[in-house]
Amino acid sequence: MSIDIGQFAQVFLEEAAEHLASMESGLLGLDLQAADPETLNAIFRAAHSIKGGAGTFGLDAVAEFTHTLETLLDRIRHGKRRFDEACLDACLRSVDLLRDMLDVHTSGGSYDAEAAETLVGDLQSLLSAESSAARSANQTGAVEADPAPEPMHCFDMRISLPAGQAGKRESVESLLMSLAELGTLDMLESPLPAAGSPCWHARFTTVMEQSALSDFAEFVLEPDWIRIVPAGADSPVSDDNADPGYGFFEPAMPSVDDALSSSVQSTDDGFGFFDDAPGTPQSVVSTTEGDGYGFFEPIPSTPASPDAVPALQTQVSGVAADEAYGFFEPLDAPAGAPAAPVAASDKAPVAEDPGYGFFDTRMVECDTPEAARIRLTDATDGSYGFFDPVLAPQAFAAPKPAASGPVASAPQKPLSQPAPKPASKAAPASGAGAAAADTSIRVPTHKIDQLINLVGELVITQSMLKAAAEALDPVLHEQLLAGLAQLERNSRDLQESVLSTRMVPMSVVFSRYPRIVRDIAKKLGKQVDLQLIGESVELDKGMVEKIVDPLTHLVRNAVDHGLEMPEARLAKGKKQTGTIMLIAEHQSGQIVIEIVDDGAGLNRERILEKAHSQGIPVEHAMPDSEVWDLIFAPGFSTAETVTEVSGRGVGMDVVRKNIVALGGSVHLSSESGLGTRVTIRLPLTLAILDGMTVRANSDDFIIPLGLVVESLPTDNLTFKSVGRSGLLVKIREDYVPMASLAGLLGMADDAQTKIAPVVVVLEFEGRRMAIGVDALLGQQQVVVKNLESNYRRVQGISGATILGNGQVALILDVSGLASLIQSSHHS
Amino acid sequence: MNEFQSNDIDRREYLTFLLADEEYGVDILKVQEIRGYEKTTRIPGAPVFIKGVINLRGAIVPIVDMRIKLALEAVEYNEFTVVIILNLNGRMVGVVVDGVQDVLALSPAQIRATPDMDSAIDHRFILGLATLEDRMVILLEIDGLMTSRDMQLIDGLTGA
């Protein structure tokens, strides 16, 4: 039945897609050993929203299915069902199915109803399985293998109802009864029927994690009323492997929670910081070796409230001190102590303000834990921006704002410094734009494009005015000229701002890869650790769509061909789990994206062989870089078999073509046995270019300034000819291939035999070339216009622009020129 | 058959123009505007009948001189030279002609089949001939003509 999709339904579909994306990335980011309750809650909420919206718009099938999923998620988040590999799989499949179901409404077609039935069945069986029967699953795929078997935890529980809450007895009783079903409950102490402040003491042995247990209990009880302490030798170990709170949210105060994030649940909202502030309750913290980071030194305790149970010992994770980013070093410098981001070196990006600005303001305002709690729950970003860098390698996708809540004092930047202004200026905008619902507006891209066009026209008009004004007497027309100068500044600023609206963070691109890598790795039986670095680096939206396919191809290659099977890796003395890093950074006006794997590297011999068999001229003494370049030949693939994953011949040549079409370049480098690195360079934006204007004959051209090394008059230079038409020019000590621009483009007057008066030296992909021109006309920023919308592609020309005088000037495509020079030299 | 009725419904309007001595017509709906000739920016590798591109309010539009393409007489560019800007499904192209005449409303009945003659333009792209009084207008299938391989305006067809 077709549904009349109104304007609002369209919004629902878009938002549902976002919810699904955040569910997926949340699911992928979960540690199966200690699922972060905040993430589980977020996933649940997303599913819940989808269900609600689907119901509203009459998408009954979607609503129904989502209901089942939501039920499962609900049980998981309350600890009633352990989140294991089977659950993860089912949830991911559910996300896929929901996508398909929603797609039917956007683009028609149908979804696989049979698969849906099967999935519903699976979900049902997961729902009914006893959580205690679930064993820790074998970890494969994107999550690092955890060698430890699932531990049984023994907890010492004390429940104490404060006076006046005796009415809650029944709730406590039924809670205990439920617990009895989830493990072994030994009641050590039960209260007398008439007790005013009844207390229970029990020992509880279960497979549940303390977090799950506390969650469970909290449904009935206030956190203050119950105290759960691990009993027995293995107590601090259970949450070792991943404490998503990373020690941040240690309950230094009476609290049910141990080391978990949750704005609502952690009762020491002072995090031990506010020990000295008046009115703050003192905390007692005992630490296991090294885990408190020296921060939570035992302090004499006074209970915060009459009902408070004496503080718990901290449950601190075994996260390496490094990963605290040096946060907890100076006890009395809570105001964002300068981090040691070096410690986190090869891992996730670290915010330059390691306090995330968080503790600066928080410090001042908390008098009581109550106030602190309220303050903290105010933060729109419930994770306070903590979890973005720290949770890499499988970092959250775009829906989680890159900047923390209201306090973001510094836009988060990758380890390497982003240089250009637009990036840093745009970061707060992107932080706002990245689906923080309150601070962004959904705007159709065509409106932005229109805006950019108009601003482009404005800049052109302004250039025309400037050109016209050059003829005026500066003294007579001082005001006018001053006004025009101001106009120029305003236009440039406007242009930069408008262009930055089109900039989106790399996370938009990267977010799909954890899933893809997980799926491929699973299919191939490989173990892969995917690290995403530089997710906050921004690029033009127009490039996002175009870069995804080449990147996907490269990532798949890395998993499929690059990384070896786990056994092979072990045999080589490598770690069983291979690492793939996706790195994005700004470098001198370009975006550099790298895919690095620590696999087997490129096989030089195989490549030479294959090239030879395809009739490509090769020499055994070819330098490595040239050998790797052979891979970009059309139809080239050293894969013996075409797997489902790759080898299909959507080859590297298409990858290179796509990237070059974006004005970028791609490079390979590799070390046998060590790994491969693919480097992609892209211009920051497609729309604007810094160019050098040159004249060849009577035509003006623009050369992208980024590729210009220098320009020299040719009078004193030495020239040597090579072959029939090749020319080399000696620049300092090197001979550089040269050609006249007019000649290259076929626009020379036949009479032209002299060597051009000026030569411009360009550097492209590590090679230099010299272009002979008649004059240098200047340098300017130009708006790039597409030549191909009304004409065809021209080799050597990448686009056109409109100069200040209204004339069209063509923009040179340096890579095309390089090929032209090469062919003219080889002829 | 009510001739009047059918004529009315099927009438189409054609803009007629001159190329040397010959009169041509194109579907008026494809004509975006008419301009004077202005200096173009040359494009490398373009055939001689493609003069280059111009700036049309921010859009880059190629200009084709049909007089050169059809190898008619010598061409000049003066104040009477006219460029017809066509919009063919979003693609714009300008055509240099010797002069624009008028707009004719023609019904199918008035359009005769093209006789078998040697013509500078491929018959595929001629809709037919229209005869009015002493005029003969050659009606062009302008979409096909402009997107043909011959014109070298479109990628993939040029073999370049």
Side-chain angles (χ1 to χ4, degrees), chain A residues 175-214:
Chain A
L175 168 69
L176 292 171
M177 270 170 45
S178 314
L179 285 179
E181 287 174 35
L182 298 170
T184 318
L185 186 69
D186 292 317
M187 288 305 299
L188 302 173
E189 215 182 280
S190 292
L192 299 173
S197 303
C199 289
W200 291 260
H201 183 197
R203 177 146 294 163
F204 185 47
T205 311
T206 176
V207 297
M208 282 172 80
E209 305 285 354
Q210 181 163 343
S211 52
L213 182 57
S214 8

Side-chain angles (χ1 to χ4, degrees), chain A residues 82-102:
Chain A
R82 186 176 165 67
F83 188 70
D84 58 12
E85 183 82 16
C87 282
L88 175 63
D89 260 343
C91 289
L92 284 174
R93 278 161 53 209
S94 304
V95 169
D96 286 340
L97 177 64
L98 280 171
R99 278 212 184 104
D100 286 342
M101 286 169 108
L102 291 172

